Amino acid sequence: MMGPAHSLSGAAAWLGVGAAAAAAGHPMPWPVLLVGALICAGAALAPDLDHKAATISRSFGPVSRWLCEIVDKLSYAVYKATKKPGDPRRSGGHRTLTHTWLWAVLIGAGCSVTAIAVDRWGVLAILFVHMVLAIEGLLWRAARGSSSDVLVWLLAATSAWILADILDQPGQGSDWLFTAPGQEYLWLGLPVVLGALVHDLGDALTVSGCPVLWPIPVGRKRWYPVGPPKAMRFRAGSWVELKVLMPVFMVLGGVGGAVALNVI
Ligand SMILES: [Zn+2]
């Protein structure tokens, strides 16, 4: 899928989690629902850091272009080192290492640890990175162009600062789900994991599938491309994605959000 569909599916997924959490007796304060949805929308772009043309690789100027090259090389090296006889030859690392459940868990755990260990600046950094991605993903063409980059960064920095202040207030969600002292913001890793997994799921629906199970082998393959039967797959950016999936994500997200906030 393309950036906007990935971001929308990420936001919708977190709003769905909000509805489930409310049903399970852990209702999210509204800042957790909002911030989580934005982080998840941003995190749903992150796995494509292995692709030069992806939204995330252009979102932070030279820093992300440089990171993208490293991630591509690393992914390709891991692919070559761990492939089984049934895995095809490849020429690059796109849709390999960063498109696995293990990567999702590691990135999410990394964010949780950063939020706890580095405290306020850690939380701000996580919020800032994901706000930039959420803005780029959800506004897409409107946020594109080199001159708008600085505006996107400023908007993301401002909203990260404001949202962190709101979350810090008592009862507004810094201790949602994990309530013991010292566990504030531990939950920040959850929308990060979820976003990456939703991205993998979205890619699995497209023609080439997604090796989300790695390193668990399936038959003669360790990079088994998970996906539905060929006839049910679609091309990235096709009408199914734009005219069917994106409106569905919006409706599901709206319903999830309403349930999560107890409006319906
Ligand atoms: Zn992808």
PDB file of all heavy atoms in Angstrom, residues 1 6 44-45 47-51 94-95 98-99 199-200 203 210, ligand 1:
ATOM      1  N   MET A   1       0.841  -1.198   0.000  1.00  0.00           N
ATOM      2  CA  MET A   1       0.000   0.000   0.000  1.00  0.00           C
ATOM      3  C   MET A   1       0.875   1.247   0.000  1.00  0.00           C
ATOM      4  O   MET A   1       2.046   1.196   0.338  1.00  0.00           O
ATOM      5  CB  MET A   1      -0.907   0.015   1.233  1.00  0.00           C
ATOM      6  CG  MET A   1      -1.890  -1.134   1.261  1.00  0.00           C
ATOM      7  SD  MET A   1      -3.270  -0.853   2.385  1.00  0.00           S
ATOM      8  CE  MET A   1      -2.442  -0.815   3.952  1.00  0.00           C
ATOM      9  N   HIS A   6      -1.497   3.340   4.426  1.00  0.00           N
ATOM     10  CA  HIS A   6      -0.806   2.785   5.595  1.00  0.00           C
ATOM     11  C   HIS A   6      -1.126   3.615   6.841  1.00  0.00           C
ATOM     12  O   HIS A   6      -1.465   3.080   7.889  1.00  0.00           O
ATOM     13  CB  HIS A   6       0.704   2.791   5.371  1.00  0.00           C
ATOM     14  CG  HIS A   6       1.200   1.633   4.562  1.00  0.00           C
ATOM     15  ND1 HIS A   6       0.876   0.327   4.836  1.00  0.00           N
ATOM     16  CD2 HIS A   6       2.010   1.580   3.480  1.00  0.00           C
ATOM     17  CE1 HIS A   6       1.466  -0.483   3.970  1.00  0.00           C
ATOM     18  NE2 HIS A   6       2.158   0.263   3.131  1.00  0.00           N
ATOM     19  N   ALA A  44       3.075   3.349  11.111  1.00  0.00           N
ATOM     20  CA  ALA A  44       2.639   2.515   9.986  1.00  0.00           C
ATOM     21  C   ALA A  44       3.376   2.867   8.699  1.00  0.00           C
ATOM     22  O   ALA A  44       3.194   2.215   7.677  1.00  0.00           O
ATOM     23  CB  ALA A  44       1.129   2.642   9.784  1.00  0.00           C
ATOM     24  N   LEU A  45       4.216   3.906   8.718  1.00  0.00           N
ATOM     25  CA  LEU A  45       5.048   4.215   7.551  1.00  0.00           C
ATOM     26  C   LEU A  45       6.470   3.711   7.737  1.00  0.00           C
ATOM     27  O   LEU A  45       7.236   3.591   6.783  1.00  0.00           O
ATOM     28  CB  LEU A  45       5.110   5.735   7.326  1.00  0.00           C
ATOM     29  CG  LEU A  45       3.830   6.448   6.966  1.00  0.00           C
ATOM     30  CD1 LEU A  45       4.120   7.935   6.823  1.00  0.00           C
ATOM     31  CD2 LEU A  45       3.264   5.905   5.676  1.00  0.00           C
ATOM     32  N   PRO A  47       8.189   0.882   8.457  1.00  0.00           N
ATOM     33  CA  PRO A  47       8.873  -0.251   7.811  1.00  0.00           C
ATOM     34  C   PRO A  47       9.432   0.075   6.425  1.00  0.00           C
ATOM     35  O   PRO A  47      10.394  -0.553   5.994  1.00  0.00           O
ATOM     36  CB  PRO A  47       7.776  -1.322   7.726  1.00  0.00           C
ATOM     37  CG  PRO A  47       6.898  -1.020   8.886  1.00  0.00           C
ATOM     38  CD  PRO A  47       6.862   0.481   8.953  1.00  0.00           C
ATOM     39  N   ASP A  48       8.887   1.068   5.738  1.00  0.00           N
ATOM     40  CA  ASP A  48       9.388   1.381   4.400  1.00  0.00           C
ATOM     41  C   ASP A  48      10.671   2.210   4.430  1.00  0.00           C
ATOM     42  O   ASP A  48      11.100   2.726   3.390  1.00  0.00           O
ATOM     43  CB  ASP A  48       8.310   2.085   3.571  1.00  0.00           C
ATOM     44  CG  ASP A  48       7.329   1.083   3.003  1.00  0.00           C
ATOM     45  OD1 ASP A  48       7.645  -0.127   3.019  1.00  0.00           O
ATOM     46  OD2 ASP A  48       6.243   1.477   2.549  1.00  0.00           O
ATOM     47  N   LEU A  49      11.281   2.306   5.606  1.00  0.00           N
ATOM     48  CA  LEU A  49      12.584   2.964   5.704  1.00  0.00           C
ATOM     49  C   LEU A  49      13.647   2.209   4.883  1.00  0.00           C
ATOM     50  O   LEU A  49      14.785   2.635   4.762  1.00  0.00           O
ATOM     51  CB  LEU A  49      13.015   3.057   7.170  1.00  0.00           C
ATOM     52  CG  LEU A  49      14.232   3.939   7.485  1.00  0.00           C
ATOM     53  CD1 LEU A  49      14.038   5.344   6.944  1.00  0.00           C
ATOM     54  CD2 LEU A  49      14.507   3.987   8.971  1.00  0.00           C
ATOM     55  N   ASP A  50      13.270   1.068   4.325  1.00  0.00           N
ATOM     56  CA  ASP A  50      14.218   0.324   3.480  1.00  0.00           C
ATOM     57  C   ASP A  50      14.034   0.671   1.996  1.00  0.00           C
ATOM     58  O   ASP A  50      14.548   0.001   1.132  1.00  0.00           O
ATOM     59  CB  ASP A  50      14.035  -1.185   3.695  1.00  0.00           C
ATOM     60  CG  ASP A  50      12.627  -1.635   3.346  1.00  0.00           C
ATOM     61  OD1 ASP A  50      11.847  -0.810   2.834  1.00  0.00           O
ATOM     62  OD2 ASP A  50      12.307  -2.803   3.593  1.00  0.00           O
ATOM     63  N   HIS A  51      13.275   1.732   1.714  1.00  0.00           N
ATOM     64  CA  HIS A  51      12.963   2.069   0.324  1.00  0.00           C
ATOM     65  C   HIS A  51      13.165   3.566   0.085  1.00  0.00           C
ATOM     66  O   HIS A  51      12.526   4.385   0.738  1.00  0.00           O
ATOM     67  CB  HIS A  51      11.505   1.677   0.030  1.00  0.00           C
ATOM     68  CG  HIS A  51      11.169   1.696  -1.419  1.00  0.00           C
ATOM     69  ND1 HIS A  51      11.373   2.798  -2.210  1.00  0.00           N
ATOM     70  CD2 HIS A  51      10.648   0.750  -2.226  1.00  0.00           C
ATOM     71  CE1 HIS A  51      10.995   2.531  -3.440  1.00  0.00           C
ATOM     72  NE2 HIS A  51      10.551   1.286  -3.483  1.00  0.00           N
ATOM     73  N   HIS A  94      14.506  -4.159   0.176  1.00  0.00           N
ATOM     74  CA  HIS A  94      13.133  -3.703   0.392  1.00  0.00           C
ATOM     75  C   HIS A  94      12.201  -4.869   0.734  1.00  0.00           C
ATOM     76  O   HIS A  94      12.275  -5.929   0.141  1.00  0.00           O
ATOM     77  CB  HIS A  94      12.621  -2.978  -0.853  1.00  0.00           C
ATOM     78  CG  HIS A  94      11.230  -2.434  -0.675  1.00  0.00           C
ATOM     79  ND1 HIS A  94      10.841  -1.751   0.459  1.00  0.00           N
ATOM     80  CD2 HIS A  94      10.140  -2.484  -1.462  1.00  0.00           C
ATOM     81  CE1 HIS A  94       9.572  -1.401   0.343  1.00  0.00           C
ATOM     82  NE2 HIS A  94       9.119  -1.838  -0.804  1.00  0.00           N
ATOM     83  N   ARG A  95      11.311  -4.597   1.714  1.00  0.00           N
ATOM     84  CA  ARG A  95      10.340  -5.592   2.173  1.00  0.00           C
ATOM     85  C   ARG A  95      10.996  -6.843   2.724  1.00  0.00           C
ATOM     86  O   ARG A  95      10.553  -7.958   2.430  1.00  0.00           O
ATOM     87  CB  ARG A  95       9.389  -5.976   1.052  1.00  0.00           C
ATOM     88  CG  ARG A  95       8.247  -5.013   0.960  1.00  0.00           C
ATOM     89  CD  ARG A  95       7.101  -5.625   0.235  1.00  0.00           C
ATOM     90  NE  ARG A  95       6.068  -4.624   0.026  1.00  0.00           N
ATOM     91  CZ  ARG A  95       5.007  -4.810  -0.706  1.00  0.00           C
ATOM     92  NH1 ARG A  95       4.820  -5.957  -1.294  1.00  0.00           N
ATOM     93  NH2 ARG A  95       4.119  -3.867  -0.831  1.00  0.00           N
ATOM     94  N   THR A  98      12.739  -5.079   7.828  1.00  0.00           N
ATOM     95  CA  THR A  98      11.860  -4.126   8.515  1.00  0.00           C
ATOM     96  C   THR A  98      10.386  -4.500   8.389  1.00  0.00           C
ATOM     97  O   THR A  98       9.537  -3.855   8.981  1.00  0.00           O
ATOM     98  CB  THR A  98      12.049  -2.702   7.958  1.00  0.00           C
ATOM     99  OG1 THR A  98      11.772  -2.742   6.561  1.00  0.00           O
ATOM    100  CG2 THR A  98      13.456  -2.192   8.193  1.00  0.00           C
ATOM    101  N   HIS A  99      10.094  -5.520   7.604  1.00  0.00           N
ATOM    102  CA  HIS A  99       8.701  -5.942   7.409  1.00  0.00           C
ATOM    103  C   HIS A  99       8.410  -7.249   8.140  1.00  0.00           C
ATOM    104  O   HIS A  99       7.688  -8.101   7.643  1.00  0.00           O
ATOM    105  CB  HIS A  99       8.397  -6.096   5.917  1.00  0.00           C
ATOM    106  CG  HIS A  99       8.259  -4.792   5.206  1.00  0.00           C
ATOM    107  ND1 HIS A  99       9.307  -3.918   5.055  1.00  0.00           N
ATOM    108  CD2 HIS A  99       7.192  -4.195   4.623  1.00  0.00           C
ATOM    109  CE1 HIS A  99       8.893  -2.849   4.395  1.00  0.00           C
ATOM    110  NE2 HIS A  99       7.615  -2.985   4.121  1.00  0.00           N
ATOM    111  N   HIS A 199       1.174  -2.157   8.986  1.00  0.00           N
ATOM    112  CA  HIS A 199       1.868  -1.928   7.713  1.00  0.00           C
ATOM    113  C   HIS A 199       2.137  -3.261   7.006  1.00  0.00           C
ATOM    114  O   HIS A 199       1.863  -3.416   5.814  1.00  0.00           O
ATOM    115  CB  HIS A 199       3.194  -1.197   7.963  1.00  0.00           C
ATOM    116  CG  HIS A 199       3.997  -0.983   6.718  1.00  0.00           C
ATOM    117  ND1 HIS A 199       4.104   0.249   6.125  1.00  0.00           N
ATOM    118  CD2 HIS A 199       4.714  -1.831   5.949  1.00  0.00           C
ATOM    119  CE1 HIS A 199       4.852   0.130   5.024  1.00  0.00           C
ATOM    120  NE2 HIS A 199       5.240  -1.129   4.910  1.00  0.00           N
ATOM    121  N   ASP A 200       2.671  -4.229   7.764  1.00  0.00           N
ATOM    122  CA  ASP A 200       2.995  -5.539   7.186  1.00  0.00           C
ATOM    123  C   ASP A 200       1.740  -6.209   6.632  1.00  0.00           C
ATOM    124  O   ASP A 200       1.757  -6.801   5.558  1.00  0.00           O
ATOM    125  CB  ASP A 200       3.638  -6.440   8.244  1.00  0.00           C
ATOM    126  CG  ASP A 200       4.971  -5.870   8.715  1.00  0.00           C
ATOM    127  OD1 ASP A 200       5.500  -4.968   8.047  1.00  0.00           O
ATOM    128  OD2 ASP A 200       5.465  -6.324   9.767  1.00  0.00           O
ATOM    129  N   ASP A 203       0.811  -4.580   3.394  1.00  0.00           N
ATOM    130  CA  ASP A 203       1.684  -5.031   2.308  1.00  0.00           C
ATOM    131  C   ASP A 203       1.380  -6.473   1.911  1.00  0.00           C
ATOM    132  O   ASP A 203       1.515  -6.851   0.750  1.00  0.00           O
ATOM    133  CB  ASP A 203       3.154  -4.919   2.724  1.00  0.00           C
ATOM    134  CG  ASP A 203       3.707  -3.514   2.492  1.00  0.00           C
ATOM    135  OD1 ASP A 203       2.966  -2.676   1.952  1.00  0.00           O
ATOM    136  OD2 ASP A 203       4.869  -3.265   2.852  1.00  0.00           O
ATOM    137  N   CYS A 210       4.253 -10.292   2.091  1.00  0.00           N
ATOM    138  CA  CYS A 210       5.120  -9.694   3.104  1.00  0.00           C
ATOM    139  C   CYS A 210       5.688 -10.801   4.013  1.00  0.00           C
ATOM    140  O   CYS A 210       4.936 -11.611   4.536  1.00  0.00           O
ATOM    141  CB  CYS A 210       4.297  -8.697   3.924  1.00  0.00           C
ATOM    142  SG  CYS A 210       5.244  -7.861   5.178  1.00  0.00           S
TER     143      CYS A 210
HETATM  144 ZN    ZN B   1       6.140  -1.750   3.085  1.00  0.00          ZN
END
